[in-house]
Amino acid sequence: MKNNQTGMTLIVKTITRLTVGLILVYGIYIVLQGHISPGGGFAGGVIITLSFVQLMLAFGKDTALKKVNQAKCIFLSGVAAFIFLILAVCGFVTGHSPGFRDGHSTFFSAGLVPFCDIAISVLVGSGLFVIFLALVLLTQEQE
Amino acid sequence: MELHLILLFMILASVLAVEARDLISSVISLSAVGLGLCLAFLILKAPNLAITQLVVEILCVVVLIRATIKKDLPLVRDGRWFFNTISTALFVVCFLAFASFALKELPNFGEPVMRVSGEYIANSLEKTGLKNIVTAIALNFRSYDALGEAAILFAAIIAVLAITRKTGRINEK
């Protein structure tokens, strides 16, 4: 990330560079631990989106759009919705929630639920980021 | 006691959000209402909801400040209001008619107390293997509810993209 003129001041850019990775990792943690401790797909997806929103607010829209652009976000949300639908049809066909069950607090102890969480997080995160991008680009066009 | 204090704070902040002159102070008071709601969820021992409420509130405040405060969008008021009102009223009448047929079959509200939720609390760990009972209900017992939620979110994304697109396809040619 270069220190170009767009975006906010140097202080905000430095703090963003330190914290944005931590926020992203915390969002992924919330998603993957959602079936053991408080959290889940929706909250984790929104935290992942917030890290990209922080990047965009601090460094201007070009830096963030270089990482994730609008078409890629739309593609991701569609794919995640389709995967969630397939998982739901899995349960519909077999009559119960299939998958591995060993122990009570491991990642694979709950069948398909962690994978549902991951699909929901991708859908929510990319979808909310697309909405944010659309609103910001709309206001910038009007000026 | 703390809950009542927080509720009083939320009522005051929402009154301020309605009555404030400029938009930025109104948005800030609205975010104070959301923070109070998050604390109320924590006091009522619902950490799952508190996390979601806090995170969504942050995103909403950022979107409100960044995207809508500079210039408000033009609202289309004139036009087909007569047709819109008629179709909305028709839909409401149809919905109420079908709902009155459907609701006759259901048991009374809260009649067998804790019939379903008692089952959830007693057997959720053995049946699903999930330690977090909120996730067990949301994604295992009522997973199709979550599927409908995802469909609603997907429809909302498509609607926002359709409203805010740059130019129509016909104008480009």
Side-chain angles (χ1 to χ4, degrees):
Chain A
M1 297 171 219
K2 288 174 201 165
N3 258 338
N4 45 10
Q5 291 300 312
T6 59
M8 295 188 182
T9 59
L10 186 66
I11 303 170
V12 180
K13 281 182 181 173
T14 310
I15 293 176
T16 299
R17 201 175 299 147
L18 291 177
T19 55
V20 73
L22 290 179
I23 295 174
L24 186 64
V25 171
Y26 183 64
I28 295 171
Y29 166 78
I30 289 269
V31 172
L32 293 184
Q33 296 284 311
H35 54 297
I36 299 170
S37 61
F42 199 93
V46 180
I47 291 175
I48 293 172
T49 304
L50 279 174
S51 72
F52 284 104
V53 167
Q54 187 194 12
L55 199 69
M56 187 160 163
L57 290 182
F59 286 95
K61 74 171 177 169
D62 295 329
T63 314
L65 283 181
K66 219 178 284 174
K67 304 248 175 217
V68 182
N69 58 6
Q70 208 166 358
K72 212 185 282 181
C73 270
I74 296 169
F75 174 74
L76 272 180
S77 66
V79 166
F82 189 63
I83 288 175
F84 192 37
L85 186 64
I86 287 176
L87 290 176
V89 170
C90 265
F92 195 73
V93 170
T94 58
H96 62 283
S97 170
F100 321 97
R101 301 220 178 150
D102 50 341
H104 279 314
S105 51
T106 57
F107 181 75
F108 292 111
S109 67
L112 286 180
V113 170
F115 304 103
C116 289
D117 257 344
I118 293 171
I120 289 176
S121 74
V122 173
L123 171 64
V124 168
S126 52
L128 290 182
F129 193 62
V130 157
I131 291 176
F132 178 72
L133 274 183
L135 289 175
V136 167
L137 293 181
L138 182 72
T139 46
Q140 281 181 349
E141 265 173 26
Q142 281 182 345
E143 283 169 4
Chain B
M1 184 60 204
E2 298 98 346
L3 190 62
H4 290 96
L5 279 179
I6 286 174
L7 286 179
L8 196 65
F9 169 72
M10 280 167 62
I11 291 171
L12 288 179
S14 48
V15 169
L16 191 65
V18 174
E19 295 292 331
R21 285 287 172 83
D22 58 335
L23 277 173
I24 287 188
S25 47
S26 173
V27 168
I28 298 296
S29 345
L30 198 66
S31 71
V33 176
L35 187 65
L37 190 60
C38 172
L39 286 176
F41 282 145
L42 271 184
I43 287 175
L44 294 172
K45 292 175 184 167
N48 233 324
L49 268 180
I51 290 174
T52 309
Q53 165 67 29
L54 184 65
V55 163
V56 172
E57 189 67 39
I58 292 170
L59 187 66
C60 283
V61 167
V62 169
V63 166
L64 278 179
I65 288 180
R66 173 77 191 192
T68 65
I69 226 155
K70 282 181 182 170
K71 205 174 282 185
D72 32 2
L73 301 173
L75 283 175
V76 181
R77 289 278 171 83
D78 54 343
R80 298 178 290 179
W81 63 272
F82 182 73
F83 176 73
N84 287 347
T85 315
I86 290 287
S87 60
T88 310
L90 212 66
F91 177 75
V92 168
V93 167
C94 280
F95 179 76
L96 285 180
F98 279 110
S100 69
F101 281 120
L103 289 178
K104 272 177 194 166
E105 305 292 326
L106 288 177
N108 285 333
F109 181 69
E111 188 74 359
V113 185
M114 300 287 287
R115 182 176 158 203
V116 181
S117 47
E119 173 81 11
Y120 286 163
I121 292 169
N123 299 328
S124 86
L125 186 59
E126 301 157 16
K127 280 190 175 173
T128 66
L130 283 161
K131 257 191 175 177
N132 187 357
I133 192 170
V134 179
T135 310
I137 293 173
L139 280 182
N140 203 317
F141 290 120
R142 301 188 176 177
S143 189
Y144 288 101
D145 207 354
L147 180 67
E149 225 171 82
I152 289 172
L153 189 73
F154 198 65
I157 294 164
I158 291 174
V160 168
L161 288 178
I163 290 171
T164 63
R165 70 191 188 280
K166 278 179 189 168
T167 46
R169 285 271 168 87
I170 304 170
N171 291 343
E172 265 178 31
K173 284 174 187 172

